[in-house]
Amino acid sequence: MSKQELQINEEIRDKEIRVIGADGAQLGIMSARDALNLAAEKNLDLVKIAPQATPPVCKIIDYGKYRFEQAKREKEAKKNQRVVEIKEIRLSLNIDTHDFETKRNHAIRFLNDGNKVKVSIRFRGREMGHPELGADIMKRFAESLADTANVDKPAKLEGRNMLMFLAPKPVK
């Protein structure tokens, strides 16, 4: 709502509008001039809150206070939302056990931070002839993370890359 500027007081040019009082009570449909006079009597503003309705809905409120509360609500909503990043871990066909464990620990750290993990294996040269070896490594990797992650998208060969997506398990 704060993205587009709201019309207030004299900016409202509609012939008739539905008016809501300061206490939230319906005051009915009246002309914009009558509603403006009503708002002026109470030292408040007439604000068009639903311009797409027929007739448009206006409310008699303190505009400064309304803007403050809107900003506060948006700030609260922004604070509660969380951006999920996708972190990538690259494995290879002939990965050694210690390297595998290191990559696994990185994946656990990413998943504990609430991020998704994209696991990829790039097949080079003659490795393309053995995609089942890549699938085995992916399966082993997913099984080693079974307690912290769910397989979002199973391992799939796309061109020279095999990709798999892991998502963190929901916190109980």
Side-chain angles (χ1 to χ4, degrees):
M1 212 177 262
S2 67
K3 296 291 181 258
Q4 87 265 14
E5 245 346 275
L6 297 169
Q7 292 180 346
I8 59 169
N9 298 335
E10 285 78 26
E11 296 172 4
I12 300 170
R13 297 257 182 257
D14 300 290
K15 276 198 172 114
E16 48 179 36
I17 53 176
R18 182 178 303 276
V19 182
I20 300 171
D23 55 352
Q26 293 269 348
L27 300 179
I29 297 171
M30 57 180 79
S31 73
R33 188 181 298 118
D34 293 344
L36 201 55
N37 292 337
L38 207 60
E41 284 174 20
K42 298 178 182 175
N43 284 335
L44 295 171
D45 300 303
L46 185 66
V47 181
K48 190 191 279 189
I49 55 172
Q52 68 281 0
T54 49
V57 179
C58 296
K59 194 170 184 180
I60 297 174
I61 47 177
D62 181 358
Y63 186 62
K65 185 176 174 186
Y66 177 75
R67 289 261 314 272
F68 172 74
E69 286 177 0
Q70 282 293 106
K72 203 161 102 178
R73 251 193 307 257
E74 282 179 17
K75 191 176 177 186
E76 191 68 31
K78 202 175 218 176
K79 191 170 77 176
N80 291 337
Q81 75 181 358
R82 188 178 171 336
V83 177
V84 175
E85 288 185 47
I86 296 179
K87 302 286 190 174
E88 184 172 2
I89 290 183
R90 285 191 172 166
L91 304 174
S92 62
L93 273 188
N94 42 14
I95 190 167
D96 201 29
T97 52
H98 184 263
D99 295 337
F100 185 86
E101 289 301 314
T102 305
K103 300 278 187 177
R104 180 181 167 275
N105 291 337
H106 283 295
I108 289 171
R109 193 174 68 216
F110 295 149
L111 292 162
N112 288 338
D113 289 344
N115 296 314
K116 290 186 174 188
V117 176
K118 173 183 173 182
V119 186
S120 65
I121 296 179
R122 176 145 173 96
F123 293 93
R124 301 198 304 273
R126 291 187 181 167
E127 292 174 352
M128 275 304 293
H130 304 286
E132 67 281 352
L133 296 176
D136 291 344
I137 290 171
M138 289 285 204
K139 186 177 174 193
R140 200 172 96 213
F141 195 75
E143 286 170 358
S144 71
L145 293 168
D147 53 335
T148 54
N150 294 325
V151 176
D152 213 15
K153 291 183 187 164
K156 183 179 174 196
L157 190 65
E158 294 177 7
R160 288 195 161 277
N161 296 320
M162 185 173 281
L163 302 174
M164 173 175 70
F165 287 87
L166 301 172
K169 278 198 171 164
V171 180
K172 291 178 179 76

